[in-house]
Amino acid sequence: MNLDDIYSETIMDHSQSPRNYGHLDHPTKVTGLLNPTCGDQIILELAIDADIITDVRFSGKGCSISIASASMLTQAIKGKKIEDAMSFSYNFRASITGMEANIDLGDMEALRGVSQFPNRVKCATLSLNAFEKAINDL
Amino acid sequence: MKEVGNIIPAMVDVTDYFPILNRQINGHKLVYLDSAATSQKPKSVIDCITKYYETSNANVLRSVHTLAEEATEEFEESRKKVAGFIHARYPQEIIFTRGCTESLNVIARAWGDKFLKSGDEIVLSPVEHHSNLIPWQQLAGRIGAHLRFIDLEEDGTITVDGARAQINSKTKIVALSAVSNVLGTINPIGDIARLAHEVGAIIVVDGAQSVPHQITDVQKWNIDFLAFSGHKMLGPTGIGILWGKKELLNAMDPVIFGGEMIEYVDRENATWAELPAKLEGGTPNIAGAIGLGAAVDYLEKIGMPRIEKHVRILAEEAYRRLSNIQDVTVYGPSSPHTGVVSFNIYNVHPHDVAQVLDSQGIAIRAGHHCAQPLMQWLGVIATARASFYLYNSSNDIDALVNAIEITKRYFKI
């Protein structure tokens, strides 16, 4: 096993300097989720105008995989239409469970290595679960 | 100068008796430090289960053919072995369950629902495993009882005075683990049992982390119920024990209804069998019970006093050596400390620690250890945890210390 397969430079970068970390002044939607196996928590705050995600922040505690994933997700969905952001989330989820993604994943491509470590898939999908839950609960 | 640890050899020839410990993991010899989650199994236990299925498999207590008689005899023999192992007065006090969790749930349902009433109090500690917390939360919710929690000392220790402060005339149940699965603390069960009895309460002991590692004497402790699992004491998964004083078990109503737990059944009504059958509805885990009997034989052959000493020396040595590593926090008291050592590396999540350790062939647990209220008390979301058993040696601690240094370098701590 090569540790660098899971902890790529991109992942280390995002986990050590997470993007969009913090809080929004006036979020449209706030959703928090726990990873029951390790107690990690991600809180996602979305600002939505019409059907565009105009801004996003996240906070919480987690391992490098869950923090990197949340950081990358916020980067990817910011400015996107809800529909496109959801489609991104579904595709990303497919890719880390070992399936082919149909779109360009950008930085999140780095998380595909997680598919080799089934125990860590839950860490990588925590932020996706929070995001999809937030949108479904709108 | 590099710090050198004390040399502590394993108690048994692991390569002979524990086949799995010969495995290579990611190019390294396996270092198994997760026995608090589940222990590895000696060859004698594995062989005993295989032999049972190959030669004596039949349902117990029902048929009169030779196989059924052999199976029943082996099954009941295991019950006697377990009774002897924990110094129970009667083998009928040993109830086979699926595990410690089921045992505790049965006590809460079958004793708690019957004998508690609104306003009664249940005394627990904040270090309890969820399986010795949630059944009591649920019971309290059903009947309107209240939970009270013993205050911990600064290092997580539970004292008799701390328990005394919570136990009063309203207390009906005191439910406490004998050894913490996170802090490695050893609780003064005998003294707290006395306090419980002084106010007419019963004491339920979660022995999941103590029974595998130390002499258990339910009579010397003078406790009322004991729950533990087979798989943490070299036995197979899916078998556990509920022990209770005979008069208490007799007073309880069964919670699982069906085959073999009855005396007489007509269309409208049923009456219950004698102990232990009353509390063992349905076909039990026969191979599991027999395997547990083989595990008890093995433990007794090595000797529980020796195992108790070995596991404590390893845990305290690991505590000492990990405490000396910069940026590592170790939880619980330095001594007495047994079984497990929970720790965190500054700024590295325990999941990431466990991942790097796995790359070095070292198996530890990372997470909240089914003890979220204790994590809240410690002010952490999770910890890494190394745990020890008779097959571990100081070589394993050396490997752990080395791998922690590798982890620190990898994450640039």
Side-chain angles (χ1 to χ4, degrees), chain A residues 1 4 7 36 40 63-64 120, chain B residues 26 349 352 355 359 368 410:
Chain A
M1 181 181 90
D4 297 340
Y7 299 114
D40 288 359
C63 64
S64 46
R120 303 305 294 276
Chain B
N26 296 317
H349 190 281
D352 295 321
Q355 192 83 58
S359 75
H368 52 60
Y410 194 82

Side-chain angles (χ1 to χ4, degrees), chain A residues 5-24:
Chain A
D5 287 349
I6 185 163
Y7 299 114
S8 64
E9 253 179 61
T10 318
I11 287 177
M12 294 295 248
D13 174 39
H14 275 272
S15 67
Q16 284 165 3
S17 332
R19 324 293 198 265
N20 302 308
Y21 193 90
H23 300 280
L24 290 176

Side-chain angles (χ1 to χ4, degrees), chain B residues 116-146:
Chain B
L116 263 67
K117 54 185 192 315
S118 178
D120 285 345
E121 293 182 353
I122 301 164
V123 173
L124 310 168
S125 90
V127 305
E128 298 313 309
H129 188 283
H130 295 163
S131 59
N132 196 30
L133 168 63
I134 306 170
W136 309 116
Q137 290 177 345
Q138 293 290 308
L139 170 65
R142 285 196 298 275
I143 57 173
H146 303 293

Side-chain angles (χ1 to χ4, degrees), chain B residues 53-375:
Chain B
Y53 277 125
E54 287 181 351
T55 64
S56 312
N57 177 52
N59 208 332
V60 289
L61 309 164
R62 286 158 173 81
S63 310
V64 290
H65 54 77
T66 302
L67 292 183
E69 279 172 4
E70 284 177 12
T72 303
E73 196 180 308
E74 286 182 56
F75 181 70
E76 292 303 328
E77 194 55 39
S78 279
R79 194 189 305 279
K80 286 182 203 152
K81 285 176 188 171
V82 173
F85 189 68
I86 64 166
H87 299 84
R89 201 168 302 217
Y90 311 102
Q92 306 95 286
E93 292 177 334
I94 301 295
I95 311 297
F96 288 121
T97 63
R98 277 191 302 144
C100 190
T101 298
E102 181 178 309
S103 302
L104 291 163
N105 275 272
V106 168
I107 299 165
R109 275 273 176 198
W111 200 89
D113 278 287
K114 188 167 179 182
F115 295 107
L116 263 67
K117 54 185 192 315
S118 178
D120 285 345
E121 293 182 353
I122 301 164
V123 173
L124 310 168
S125 90
V127 305
E128 298 313 309
H129 188 283
H130 295 163
S131 59
N132 196 30
L133 168 63
I134 306 170
W136 309 116
Q137 290 177 345
Q138 293 290 308
L139 170 65
R142 285 196 298 275
I143 57 173
H146 303 293
L147 304 182
R148 290 180 73 121
F149 291 88
I150 299 169
D151 287 332
L152 303 178
E153 300 297 300
E154 216 165 289
D155 61 5
T157 305
I158 290 172
T159 64
V160 180
D161 284 342
R164 188 180 285 117
Q166 301 303 326
I167 295 173
N168 61 48
S169 59
K170 288 184 188 163
T171 310
K172 289 293 172 292
I173 296 175
V174 177
L176 206 56
S177 51
V179 168
S180 161
N181 71 321
V182 177
L183 300 177
T185 41
I186 305 162
N187 294 328
I189 294 298
D191 292 333
I192 296 176
R194 201 173 315 119
L195 294 180
H197 293 149
E198 277 169 15
V199 298
I202 61 157
I203 181 163
V204 177
V205 175
D206 170 359
Q209 299 297 339
S210 71
V211 175
H213 297 142
Q214 64 187 49
I215 294 174
T216 305
D217 190 331
V218 293
Q219 298 192 60
K220 202 186 259 176
W221 266 345
N222 192 19
I223 57 173
D224 300 293
F225 289 106
L226 175 70
F228 58 100
S229 290
H231 70 94
K232 294 191 203 289
M233 51 185 283
L234 311 181
T237 50
I239 189 77
I241 301 295
L242 157 56
W243 168 86
K245 281 182 180 158
K246 199 165 78 171
E247 55 274 24
L248 297 178
L249 294 173
N250 272 327
M252 282 166 29
D253 293 326
V255 290
I256 303 285
F257 304 97
E260 214 52 52
M261 50 73 66
I262 51 84
E263 177 192 54
Y264 175 79
V265 184
D266 64 23
R267 287 191 176 194
E268 306 296 336
N269 294 295
T271 57
W272 314 138
E274 295 290 311
L275 289 175
K278 179 179 95 169
L279 297 170
E280 289 181 353
T283 296
N285 180 356
I286 304 163
I290 292 171
L292 176 57
V296 166
D297 286 342
Y298 188 86
L299 289 170
E300 288 192 325
K301 195 174 80 190
I302 308 243
M304 291 312 290
R306 286 182 61 214
I307 293 172
E308 181 171 349
K309 200 170 148 203
H310 179 75
V311 171
R312 186 165 154 192
I313 288 172
L314 279 177
E316 290 184 356
E317 172 76 356
Y319 186 103
R320 184 183 71 79
R321 294 201 46 202
L322 265 57
S323 303
N324 287 339
I325 305 175
Q326 207 181 349
D327 297 314
V328 171
T329 305
V330 188
Y331 302 100
S334 58
S335 179
H337 193 117
T338 194
V340 302
V341 174
S342 295
F343 63 96
N344 267 315
I345 303 176
Y346 174 71
N347 251 350
V348 185
H349 190 281
H351 262 183
D352 295 321
V353 176
Q355 192 83 58
V356 179
L357 264 56
D358 183 61
S359 75
Q360 303 297 310
I362 302 174
I364 60 155
R365 171 87 189 267
H368 52 60
H369 316 292
C370 300
Q372 288 187 14
L374 178 57
M375 297 295 114

